């Protein structure tokens, strides 16, 4: 049995269990509101009622392994320009904990940069810091809305030294790019205990359907292991807007397919985690790695950062909502109808209703699942529409 067949069977079994539970609670999911957090004050510092200052960096101590199904050599939460040829997590003399990042630039033209995207609030002050070891090591941030001078050191003298820089985001800043790098021909350097300290973004909003009275439904298709020309042709022939939630591995294997099936206006490619692990079995930090790394993979492959997270098995908790927000997701989306694998399940009385989100999967049955879902929508006087057009 092939890897894709085994994974599809496993995902189908796990999903069916989750969907049974979801059917009884989907109304609660749809009605749930995001947890409140206070907005920053006009001066850029948190108000007295603001959320506590937290570290927003993903895998800040390099203690978390890359999720299953990640690219070989991936460093959880980080993108390094030289890849595994330059950057590796090592256990030799970390600053704290059991491991640190060590980067050895591969040639004279490399600074060995490693970076990550951090979601922030506008008009808010953050402090970035990292402990480093080596010569000519730099820590900085871009995309803040203002010029930010990097912190750097000529040499740490063989020990660890903390670099710190502070910045206030501009009125339109929703994310910043945190980076650390060495300098040309200055040899290896190490990094540990990275911080981006400030108030967290407000948790993402959980939805099972989209609040609208327009006569529309939304077709969403998950995973991506089985891609058929028949499904692709049906989408194109019927001009269907599709919201795809592929995992990074199948998306990276065949990015052209996902570009073609989301070519209809209103279509988009969103976030479904890296390894399809039940989020509720993971800590907030582990969920953040799963969501942020999938976001980065989708952004590299397709050029647009996702803003919607579909939790595997429709499983989520408060940590999921915060981790999703920390990765730039505004919505954690489930569904209220399932037309996967020959099913025609609607988890509310009657036919499809305006705003319903229909779940399907990239499987060998999708070419027949799509016509059945489309017929159900048309019978209810509804038409498929672009999800992003209605959410954000």
């Amino acid at each position: 049995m092939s890897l894709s067949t085994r994974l599809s069977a496993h995902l189908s079994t796990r999903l069916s269990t989750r969907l049974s539970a979801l059917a009884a609670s989907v109304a609660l999911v749809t009605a749930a509101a995001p947890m409140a957090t206070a907005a920053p004050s006009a001066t850029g510092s948190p108000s007295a009622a603001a959320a506590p200052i937290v570290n927003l960096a993903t895998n800040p101590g390099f203690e978390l392994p890359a999720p299953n199904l990640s690219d070989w050599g991936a460093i959880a939460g980080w993108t390094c320009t030289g890849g595994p040829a330059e950057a590796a997590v090592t256990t030799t003399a970390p600053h704290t904990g059991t491991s640190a990042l060590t980067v050895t630039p591969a040639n004279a033209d490399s600074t060995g940069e490693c970076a990550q995207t951090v979601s922030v609030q506008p008009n808010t002050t953050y402090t970035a810091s990292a402990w480093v070891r080596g010569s000519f090591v730099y820590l900085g941030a871009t995309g803040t809305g203002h010029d930010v001078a990097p912190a750097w050191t000529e040499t740490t003298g063989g020990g660890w030294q903390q670099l710190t820089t502070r910045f206030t985001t501009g009125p339109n800043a929703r994310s910043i790019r945190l980076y650390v790098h060495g300098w040309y021909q200055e040899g290896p350097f190490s990094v540990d205990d990275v911080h981006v300290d400030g108030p967290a973004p407000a948790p993402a909003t959980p939805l099972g359907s989209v609040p609208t009275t327009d006569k529309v439904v939304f077709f969403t298709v998950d995973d991506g292991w089985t891609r058929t020309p028949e499904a692709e042709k049906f989408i194109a022939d019927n001009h269907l807007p599709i919201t795809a939630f592929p995992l990074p591995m199948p998306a990276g294997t065949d990015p052209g397919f996902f570009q073609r099936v989301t070519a209809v206006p209103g279509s988009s490619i969103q976030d479904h985690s890296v390894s399809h692990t039940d989020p509720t079995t993971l800590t907030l930090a582990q969920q953040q790695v799963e969501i942020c790394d999938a976001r980065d993979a989708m952004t590299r492959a397709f050029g647009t950062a996702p803003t919607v997270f579909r939790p595997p098995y429709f499983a989520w908790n408060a940590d999921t909502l915060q981790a999703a927000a920390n990765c730039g997701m505004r919505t954690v989306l489930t569904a209220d109808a399932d037309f996967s694998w020959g099913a025609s399940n609607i988890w509310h009385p009657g036919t499809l209703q305006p705003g319903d989100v229909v779940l399907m999967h990239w499987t060998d049955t999708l070419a027949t699942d799509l016509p059945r879902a489309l017929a159900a929508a048309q019978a209810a006087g509804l038409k498929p529409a672009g999800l992003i057009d209605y959410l954000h």
Side-chain angles (χ1 to χ4, degrees), residues 190-290:
S190 297
V191 186
D192 203 358
D193 297 326
V194 180
H195 278 247
V196 179
D197 292 328
T205 301
L207 289 177
S209 64
V210 177
T212 182
T213 57
D214 291 355
K215 293 184 177 299
V216 296
V217 293
F218 305 97
F219 285 180
T220 65
V221 191
D222 286 9
D223 298 346
W225 295 110
T226 303
R227 304 170 294 277
T228 67
E230 293 82 8
E232 180 182 341
K233 184 176 187 302
F234 187 85
I235 291 168
D237 289 350
N238 290 274
H239 206 61
L240 292 179
I242 296 293
T243 303
F245 291 91
L247 300 174
M249 185 173 284
T253 300
D254 194 359
F257 174 85
F258 292 99
Q259 290 171 329
R260 293 192 300 273
V261 295
T262 57
V264 175
S267 300
S268 66
I269 298 174
Q270 300 296 328
D271 192 318
H272 194 36
S273 82
V274 175
S275 69
H276 210 285
T277 299
D278 179 339
T280 62
T281 66
L282 305 175
T283 65
L284 190 155
Q286 291 169 323
Q287 292 192 51
Q288 189 163 321
V289 165
E290 286 273 357

Side-chain angles (χ1 to χ4, degrees), residues 137-141 147-153 163-165 179 181:
V137 187
Y138 293 74
L139 170 75
D147 291 336
V148 179
W152 66 284
T153 181
L163 300 179
T164 302
T165 184
Y179 66 84
H181 63 72

Side-chain angles (χ1 to χ4, degrees), residues 3 31 48 56 74 131 151 159 171 188-189 194-195 208 229 232 255 267 297 309 323 373 379 382:
L3 172 63
L56 296 171
W131 286 86
F189 64 92
V194 180
H195 278 247
E232 180 182 341
S267 300
F309 175 58
L382 308 171

Side-chain angles (χ1 to χ4, degrees), residues 90-104:
T90 63
T91 57
T92 303
H95 178 252
T96 63
T98 60
S99 50
L101 175 69
T102 296
V103 182
T104 305

Side-chain angles (χ1 to χ4, degrees), residues 71 248-249 251 274 292-302:
D71 291 338
M249 185 173 284
V274 175
C292 285
D293 279 6
R295 171 205 63 194
D296 292 344
M298 296 301 104
T299 305
R300 286 193 300 270
F302 305 109

Side-chain angles (χ1 to χ4, degrees), residues 18 277-280 287 309 311-317 320 332 334:
R18 282 288 176 183
T277 299
D278 179 339
T280 62
Q287 292 192 51
F309 175 58
Y313 313 111
F314 288 2
W316 59 271
N317 55 22
T320 311
V332 171
T334 55

